[in-house]
Amino acid sequence: MSNSITPAVFLRGALTLALLFIVLMSKSAAQEDTSPHVALLSIDGAIGPATTDYFKRATEEAGERGAALIIVHIDTPGGLDAASRDIIQHILASPIPIATFVYPSGARAASAGTYILYASQIAAMAPATTLGAATPVQIGGPPGTPGPGSKPQESEEKEKKEKQDGEGESEEGKKEEPLSGTAMERKVVNDSIAFIRGLAQRHGRNADWAEKAVREAATLTAAEALELNVVDIVAKNDQDLLKQIAGRKVSLDSGEITISAEIAQLPIKEYEPDWRNELLALITNPQVAYILLLIGIYGLIFEGYSPGAFVPGIVGVICLLLAFYALQVLPINYVGLALIIVGALLIVAEVFMPSFGALGIGGIIALVIGSVMLIDTDVPGMQVSRKLIAAIAGVSGIFLLGLLLAVGRSLRKPRLASDQALVGRTALVSNVHENEVLVHLDGEIWRAHCETPLEPGQRVRIVAQRGLLLYVEPG
């Protein structure tokens, strides 16, 4: 009797184990604790696509598990406009009250963080925290372009000169000062003002200061924000916050509700980012996306020059797909992307078509300019590091210098006739026929002639070459 396990038995066993695993997982999910609690989320650092994904998933999960309130610790310098608006829309539509808490002491809710604070049903700050500076940052355009609300230096000097020359002029001779900034800048600022004023009016907060935060990049400390009715509460920690929230009325889409007086007695459960969100945060980091892009481009180029290698092509495709996924959720400049691709092509072309540095130098210049232009935003934490760009340029420059030195050494070598290139080399006898000797050299089989008898495996030295025939002697 055979003791071997047949494929059918193995398959049935595997299916049974799979079904058992599914049943256990479903029971585990059904037995999850859904008792009332306070959910705790954290937004730390620049706000991007990964932050939005984490916020949406965590708040939905908190609602499914019976959260009575969601506290969001926030400490951010700002973030991408699209990602911030997604979070705000989710807050406004939330069936559960959300308390955004600028915490711990020393934290800030700058730029996009101010909008999120204004959108929340409860806005709170810890002592020694700040908010504000909500002016939209420059998107595109050359560095140094005057931002909204600012005046070009020439206009300021002209205005100063006119003021000095016209001190005695009457009011009738004065002209109305034109609005500063370009049409696009005014549109962006006015849109942001209307947006944040609407959020302030929804929750009965100071809309005038909100406009000032956008127009003049004004900032406030926690105590000042409470005094000006910008935030609702100043609390030392989460427990202090819950005590002050108890019994407070808040406005939701479904109507006005009163937070339970026992809210401070509920346990606080922290919702941390899962592996999917951590991976998304890693991929959408501009530094990582930039490195993946370069690896992908170089991988495909080397696969094209050496078909069949497989590894460069496989790695290149995977990295390029991950880079494109990251870039499609980041604000990129397509001219910068094109310059990076052209630069990589020129650098690789220098290897196969030496041009004494012309192609390589042009490629490095295109690569650096494209890298600087790639991420089209001034949002802190959402740009490619200048140090990383300098490192990539330095490595490319060292590679190009080594290539040029190798080309220079090859040019300094004495030139040999094509039928003398193998003279002096050593070969190995592979086979001996009656009137013909075959020798092995650099992976090739050559016909050879020798005046003395030879044996297979014997080493010989090449003394002359006539076309495809080598003249050898025992070496």
Side-chain angles (χ1 to χ4, degrees), residues 343 346-351 353-365 396-397 399-405 407-408 411:
L346 291 176
I347 292 173
V348 175
E350 182 69 43
V351 177
M353 296 181 295
S355 62
F356 302 98
L359 290 175
I361 294 173
I364 293 175
I365 294 173
S396 301
F399 171 76
L400 179 61
L401 180 61
L403 178 63
L404 293 177
L405 290 175
V407 172
L411 292 177

Side-chain angles (χ1 to χ4, degrees), residues 24-41:
L24 291 175
M25 289 298 292
S26 62
K27 285 185 177 181
S28 174
Q31 294 173 355
E32 281 183 353
D33 186 10
T34 56
S35 60
H37 64 278
V38 176
L40 177 60
L41 283 63

Side-chain angles (χ1 to χ4, degrees), residues 91-231:
I91 291 174
L92 297 177
S94 174
I96 305 171
I98 295 178
T100 300
F101 188 19
V102 187
Y103 182 85
S105 295
R108 57 178 171 167
S111 193
T114 302
Y115 291 84
I116 293 173
L117 200 63
Y118 262 96
S120 303
Q121 285 80 20
I122 299 168
M125 299 177 70
T129 57
T130 60
L131 85 159
T135 306
V137 297
Q138 176 181 310
I139 300 177
T145 303
S150 63
K151 298 179 181 179
Q153 185 177 358
E154 294 180 2
S155 299
E156 290 181 353
E157 292 176 354
K158 184 178 179 181
E159 181 183 350
K160 185 177 180 181
K161 184 177 179 181
E162 289 177 353
K163 186 177 180 181
Q164 291 175 349
D165 294 341
E167 287 180 351
E169 294 182 0
S170 64
E171 292 294 330
E172 296 178 357
K174 293 182 180 179
K175 295 183 179 179
E176 184 179 355
E177 181 184 353
L179 294 174
S180 62
T182 65
M184 178 57 70
E185 289 169 345
R186 292 196 298 271
K187 286 171 65 176
V188 172
V189 170
N190 290 335
D191 175 69
S192 300
I193 289 172
F195 183 49
I196 200 167
R197 286 188 71 92
L199 297 175
Q201 291 165 2
R202 179 184 177 99
H203 298 296
R205 301 193 183 111
N206 192 330
D208 292 335
W209 186 87
E211 179 176 345
K212 188 177 180 181
V214 175
R215 195 179 294 278
E216 302 177 14
T219 58
L220 290 176
T221 64
E224 293 169 342
L226 183 63
E227 182 181 353
L228 293 176
N229 189 32
V230 174
V231 297

Side-chain angles (χ1 to χ4, degrees), residues 46-50 80 280-294 323 326-327 329-332 340 371 374-377 379-386 388-389:
I47 297 172
L80 300 178
L280 181 62
L282 177 65
I283 294 174
T284 55
N285 184 302
Q287 328 299 330
V288 177
Y290 174 63
I291 293 172
L292 288 173
L293 177 65
L294 291 181
L327 295 177
V329 296
L330 292 172
I332 66 166
I340 290 175
S371 301
L374 181 62
I375 304 298
D376 193 12
T377 180
V379 174
M382 285 293 168
Q383 294 177 312
V384 179
S385 168
R386 298 295 185 264
L388 178 59
I389 295 174

Side-chain angles (χ1 to χ4, degrees), residues 36-56:
H37 64 278
V38 176
L40 177 60
L41 283 63
S42 295
I43 296 178
D44 189 9
I47 297 172
T51 313
T52 303
D53 180 77
Y54 159 65
F55 186 84
K56 287 182 177 180

